[in-house]
Amino acid sequence: MSLLELKSVSKIYGDLKALDNVSLHVDEGEWVAIMGPSGSGKSTMMNIIGCMDKPTKGEVLLDGVDISKESSRHLTDIRRDKIGLIFQQFHMVPHLTAVENIMVSQYYHSLPDEEEALEALGRVGLRDRARHLPSQLSGGEQQRVCVARALINHPELILADEPTGNLDEANENIVLDLFAQLHKEGTTLIVVTHDQEVAAAAQRTIVLEHGRVAREVINEDFGKTL
Amino acid sequence: MANRSTQKHTMTKRKMFLRMITSSLLRRRSRMIIALFSIGIGATILAGLVTIYIDVPRQMGAQFRSYGANVLILPKDGQTLTTKALNESLSSVPPEEIVGSAPYRYVRLDMMTRQQSFTAAGTDFNQIIRTSPYFSVEGSYPASIREILVGKEIAETIGLKTGSSIELTYQPPIREETDEDAAASGDFLSGSAEGFNGALVYVTAAIDDQAKITSIAIDATTQTPQYGGQVMENEDFEAQFIGKSVPLTLGEDVDALTGATITSTAVVTALNQARRTSVPTQPRSVTYTVTGILTTGGEEEGYVFMSLDDMIAITGENKIDVAELSISASADKLSSYVEQIEENSPVAKARLVKRVARSEAAVLSKLQALVFLVTAVVLLLTMICVSTTMMAVVSERRREIGLRKALGASDESIRAEFMGEALFLGLLGGIMGAILGFAFAQVVSVNVFGSSISFQPLLLPAAILVSMAVAAASCLLPIKRAIAIDPALVLKGE
């Protein structure tokens, strides 16, 4: 069953077609990588899937709901309830501790629950760093906190934008291991990357070029190397 | 840690909200301290000015009282005003509002040796200090009998210094026999007799058609003040003479004053030997000691000042021409006091010194307007300062705001968080302002007005409310900016 479906989606800025008649679908529980060089439309697609932008043309069905015509207020609600976001720059609230940063996500979603937030930190192996401020954490640790934050509200879709772009190899592997675990648990993952290795960890890779889907690659080795 | 966690297991949204806004202020100190300071300083100046504003009428009232009397008390037509009647007339005014009341009796006294005459004023020096604080005395105010204060002008003309002696003579007014007033007011008995140590005691008494004494003035200033001198101050002693006719017998008609038998005897003897005249007394000369030279910059420099007792002694009359009153009250209250005095007293009438009362009200309202204006300007400046700081805070926190929105924060949440931070700032700034503002007002009050002020308990909640309102108002525009931030900015690899 497809969780996400893009039907002939275009995003046009003046003369520029950032996305040109793109169609794709992602099944529930699938792990998909989106690749492409700069200017290929990755970010635009990410914004649309992440409910932060609307397409000029076409339909976007998330969990059966067309989000292409929703008001931005509604899009905020959908994003909050269904999507967990992970960013290249980590993005934590600088004056809140690790556990508080996770609780912020709970706060906007439903109710903050410190115990649950601490458990999520435990999952990414950072329970003992719960009271540290972002400035006291390494980049890898910050990204792991962000993974924990993305998970906390049990989203149907985790959307990661270059999640390992600012990490060294050791931390990249830790994050990819976490993704693999999430995948095993049935979470749907969409990872936007330009890193071959990161893309290779996914089940399927969609390659964008000039705003169009250039090709799709199925990873035959999936589940064997990891 | 585990205990703490379980305790906090069910954390409410409100708790998390408070945790977020307080940690924003406490952990992001530098920028927020600037905002806190602008609110705090604004609140300080506001609280200070408001305190002064409230206190100004009282402060300025006291201040204006140093420029002289604002009410005059005069005898009603055909009436005689005495110290006693003056004090009775003042019962209409609350005692705590009376700064001072100085009686004056003016007569001309001659200096025979130089053929000059001066205006002499009999008064109460203790009251003068209060009603005319601008009097500047070189030397000291007279403290005992036959001591006088001399105006600078006289002192320079005659060459008087502190400690000099001067003999002054009182010439009673010449009454013509045909004068109707003289006939109505009757004749006088005027005489003297030797008292203690052979010193003379003077007595002047007014008598009516039946030769009964209607009033008596005793000059026993030559007698020892605490013994014989008491006859001048003891009203009961003097009252014994009223309604009686000479000759009098001590012990029958009149009882001697305890401790002043010799002087009492002298008073009775003086009356019995007195000449009946149509003038109150013979010219009388008294030698005075100058205790101080008076400088006022006004006409008082041409006067001689003596105590009311000395004045009664030399003139033989107990009366007051005018009393200067310094009352610390608003213009409206003053007018009502003036009316009450007129109504209640049979002999006294009161007049407002309009020049002083009016300028007081005018200066007061101008000062209040000025404080009000400054308050408004400070309020505006505080708002601009806080607004600018908050604007900078918003652009500094663009990413954080974008992140919050990406995490699902609604516009209302963003607005509530910023407003919460602003109100929290306002609360801290208000507390700071109330405390520092009171200190500021106190310093201003002590340095400018020379008196301290009491803390207005309402100041604290008022300062907090105002600074919270200012902080909230200042944040409206920055919040608008914050809400306009695009959550997608967190996705771009900036």
Side-chain angles (χ1 to χ4, degrees):
Chain A
M1 194 193 135
S2 70
L3 177 71
L4 176 73
E5 193 165 357
L6 272 65
K7 291 181 181 168
S8 313
V9 168
S10 296
K11 181 74 185 178
I12 300 160
Y13 299 104
D15 292 337
L16 179 76
K17 286 184 173 176
L19 284 181
D20 186 6
N21 204 23
V22 172
S23 295
L24 63 85
H25 73 97
V26 176
D27 284 338
E28 219 175 290
E30 210 182 350
W31 182 357
V32 175
I34 296 175
M35 279 196 78
S38 303
S40 60
K42 281 183 311 195
S43 287
T44 308
M45 182 181 272
M46 174 101 193
N47 282 349
I48 290 171
I49 298 171
C51 299
M52 288 182 275
D53 204 351
K54 285 185 269 192
T56 316
K57 272 189 241 166
E59 269 182 28
V60 181
L61 294 171
L62 179 64
D63 207 10
V65 177
D66 183 6
I67 59 172
S68 60
K69 309 283 186 293
E70 291 289 350
S71 68
S72 62
R73 177 182 291 264
H74 241 114
L75 284 178
T76 302
D77 293 344
I78 294 166
R79 180 169 66 244
R80 185 175 59 215
D81 292 340
K82 304 205 165 168
I83 300 170
L85 289 165
I86 297 169
F87 318 103
Q88 180 176 4
Q89 306 284 346
F90 325 138
H91 290 308
M92 291 172 73
V93 178
H95 54 267
L96 294 179
T97 61
V99 68
E100 284 168 347
N101 260 283
I102 296 172
M103 288 161 72
V104 168
S105 198
Q106 291 176 318
Y107 171 80
Y108 291 129
H109 181 265
S110 48
L111 284 178
D113 183 336
E114 191 160 12
E115 189 57 30
E116 205 185 322
L118 285 169
E119 268 169 36
L121 269 183
R123 264 195 87 169
V124 298
L126 289 175
R127 191 158 179 151
D128 57 330
R129 311 288 271 168
R131 308 285 168 205
H132 286 64
L133 290 172
S135 56
Q136 298 164 318
L137 298 171
S138 72
E141 286 171 331
Q142 287 189 50
Q143 193 60 304
R144 279 147 70 191
V145 174
C146 290
V147 172
R149 181 176 65 194
L151 296 176
I152 194 71
N153 297 321
H154 311 289
E156 288 168 49
L157 172 66
I158 286 200
L159 191 56
D161 176 26
E162 298 279 10
T164 59
N166 281 357
L167 296 181
D168 58 23
E169 209 176 324
N171 276 305
E172 179 176 305
N173 288 334
I174 292 173
V175 170
L176 288 179
D177 284 347
L178 281 169
F179 283 177
Q181 254 179 56
L182 293 175
H183 171 70
K184 266 184 204 154
E185 289 161 16
T187 310
T188 312
L189 285 160
I190 296 179
V191 180
V192 176
T193 184
H194 60 261
D195 186 330
Q196 280 292 349
E197 267 183 65
V198 175
Q203 286 173 299
R204 181 157 64 104
T205 304
I206 295 166
V207 180
L208 289 181
E209 266 168 32
H210 308 297
R212 293 171 188 230
V213 177
R215 60 188 179 277
E216 276 191 51
V217 184
I218 308 290
N219 182 6
E220 304 289 353
D221 297 332
F222 183 77
K224 291 172 188 166
T225 49
L226 282 169
Chain B
M1 190 68 86
N3 275 344
R4 228 181 115 214
S5 305
T6 31
Q7 254 178 2
K8 286 196 172 176
H9 186 71
T10 49
M11 176 182 265
T12 60
K13 278 194 98 141
R14 187 179 303 157
K15 242 178 170 174
M16 183 64 195
F17 176 76
L18 288 176
R19 199 159 157 184
M20 289 194 302
I21 63 169
T22 50
S23 53
S24 165
L25 297 184
L26 299 178
R27 293 190 189 137
R28 312 174 55 256
R29 286 193 207 105
S30 58
R31 183 68 75 176
M32 284 329 216
I33 278 175
I34 296 173
L36 178 63
F37 256 75
S38 31
I39 294 182
I41 290 170
T44 300
I45 297 175
L46 285 184
L49 285 178
V50 168
T51 306
I52 294 169
Y53 182 82
I54 293 170
D55 222 49
V56 146
R58 191 178 69 74
Q59 298 276 16
M60 290 308 288
Q63 198 71 16
F64 277 121
R65 291 300 89 248
S66 63
Y67 301 127
N70 49 4
V71 173
L72 292 182
I73 302 231
L74 302 155
K76 282 187 178 152
D77 289 343
Q79 300 286 342
T80 305
L81 188 62
T82 59
T83 320
K84 205 172 152 212
L86 169 67
N87 290 336
E88 279 166 8
S89 72
L90 291 184
S91 59
S92 318
V93 186
E96 68 274 9
E97 291 184 6
I98 301 178
V99 178
S101 71
Y104 287 96
R105 162 83 164 119
Y106 296 105
V107 294
R108 294 293 287 182
L109 293 183
D110 300 328
M111 188 181 181
M112 302 301 238
T113 50
R114 292 179 66 112
Q115 307 241 313
Q116 277 186 313
S117 79
F118 313 110
T119 300
T123 186
D124 182 341
F125 292 109
N126 290 326
Q127 296 296 328
I128 275 202
I129 293 166
R130 292 180 211 152
T131 54
S132 307
Y134 54 90
F135 274 25
S136 158
V137 172
E138 184 192 319
S140 62
Y141 278 101
S144 59
I145 53 165
R146 294 182 190 229
E147 287 185 344
I148 54 168
L149 204 60
V150 176
K152 193 179 158 207
E153 206 181 296
I154 299 178
E156 280 173 359
T157 325
I158 308 178
L160 288 173
K161 290 197 187 73
T162 302
S164 306
S165 290
I166 176 173
E167 192 190 50
L168 296 171
T169 305
Y170 176 65
Q171 303 275 9
I174 311 292
R175 289 167 190 270
E176 297 186 13
E177 296 298 332
T178 52
D179 193 335
E180 279 176 37
D181 280 348
S185 58
D187 286 346
F188 290 89
L189 293 174
S190 178
S192 60
E194 282 185 13
F196 190 69
N197 270 350
L200 284 178
V201 174
Y202 298 90
V203 183
T204 304
I207 52 173
D208 62 13
D209 307 349
Q210 279 92 46
K212 292 207 166 73
I213 294 170
T214 54
S215 75
I216 184 167
I218 302 167
D219 175 7
T221 46
T222 55
Q223 308 290 296
T224 321
Q226 55 269 55
Y227 300 110
Q230 292 295 315
V231 298
M232 293 190 297
E233 285 154 35
N234 194 306
E235 285 179 19
D236 290 340
F237 178 75
E238 289 184 353
Q240 295 183 89
F241 294 91
I242 308 299
K244 294 180 180 148
S245 314
V246 287
L248 299 162
T249 311
L250 194 69
E252 283 178 21
D253 301 303
V254 177
D255 288 326
L257 192 63
T258 315
T261 320
I262 297 173
T263 312
S264 303
T265 311
V267 171
V268 173
T269 312
L271 272 179
N272 289 343
Q273 295 174 351
R275 245 168 12 100
R276 183 172 172 157
T277 65
S278 56
V279 288
T281 181
Q282 291 294 308
R284 185 176 305 160
S285 298
V286 178
T287 304
Y288 297 97
T289 307
V290 176
T291 63
I293 311 294
L294 175 70
T295 310
T296 64
E299 58 178 0
E300 295 92 343
E301 291 187 359
Y303 292 1
V304 168
F305 287 82
M306 61 177 67
S307 74
L308 218 47
D309 285 341
D310 276 329
M311 182 56 79
I312 293 168
I314 195 166
T315 60
E317 285 176 310
N318 179 10
K319 62 182 265 193
I320 297 168
D321 293 324
V322 63
E324 288 187 354
L325 241 61
S326 183
I327 300 175
S328 184
S330 67
D332 291 348
K333 268 175 139 184
L334 275 182
S335 308
S336 86
Y337 291 154
V338 164
E339 279 171 27
Q340 283 172 35
I341 290 170
E342 291 240 32
E343 265 175 45
N344 298 345
S345 173
V347 295
K349 62 180 179 184
R351 291 284 175 271
L352 212 56
V353 182
K354 287 213 171 97
R355 185 173 47 84
V356 176
R358 264 197 210 134
S359 56
E360 229 180 285
V363 171
L364 216 61
S365 65
K366 269 181 194 158
L367 201 74
Q368 287 197 323
L370 184 71
V371 171
F372 184 79
L373 197 74
V374 173
T375 305
V377 169
V378 169
L379 209 62
L380 194 72
L381 285 178
T382 306
M383 276 176 79
I384 291 171
C385 191
V386 175
S387 191
T388 312
T389 310
M390 288 309 275
M391 212 62 134
V393 165
V394 166
S395 65
E396 198 179 75
R397 292 169 71 181
R398 271 173 67 81
R399 278 204 204 177
E400 184 204 323
I401 295 161
L403 169 69
R404 286 176 187 275
K405 294 183 97 173
L407 291 180
S410 61
D411 291 355
E412 288 71 34
S413 297
I414 299 289
R415 184 178 291 125
E417 281 158 35
F418 268 90
M419 202 45 103
E421 287 186 18
L423 292 177
F424 187 64
L425 269 181
L427 175 73
L428 293 182
I431 295 171
M432 179 171 141
I435 295 166
L436 292 181
F438 175 67
F440 165 73
Q442 190 71 269
V443 167
V444 169
S445 184
V446 168
N447 286 319
V448 178
F449 298 110
S451 74
S452 66
I453 46 178
S454 52
F455 188 78
Q456 312 272 346
L458 222 63
L459 186 66
L460 188 66
I464 290 173
L465 267 170
V466 169
S467 42
M468 281 174 93
V470 167
S474 312
C475 279
L476 292 178
L477 206 63
I479 285 174
K480 225 173 159 185
R481 280 270 178 90
I483 284 171
I485 288 172
D486 181 6
L489 77 88
V490 288
L491 293 177
K492 288 158 196 160
E494 283 173 19

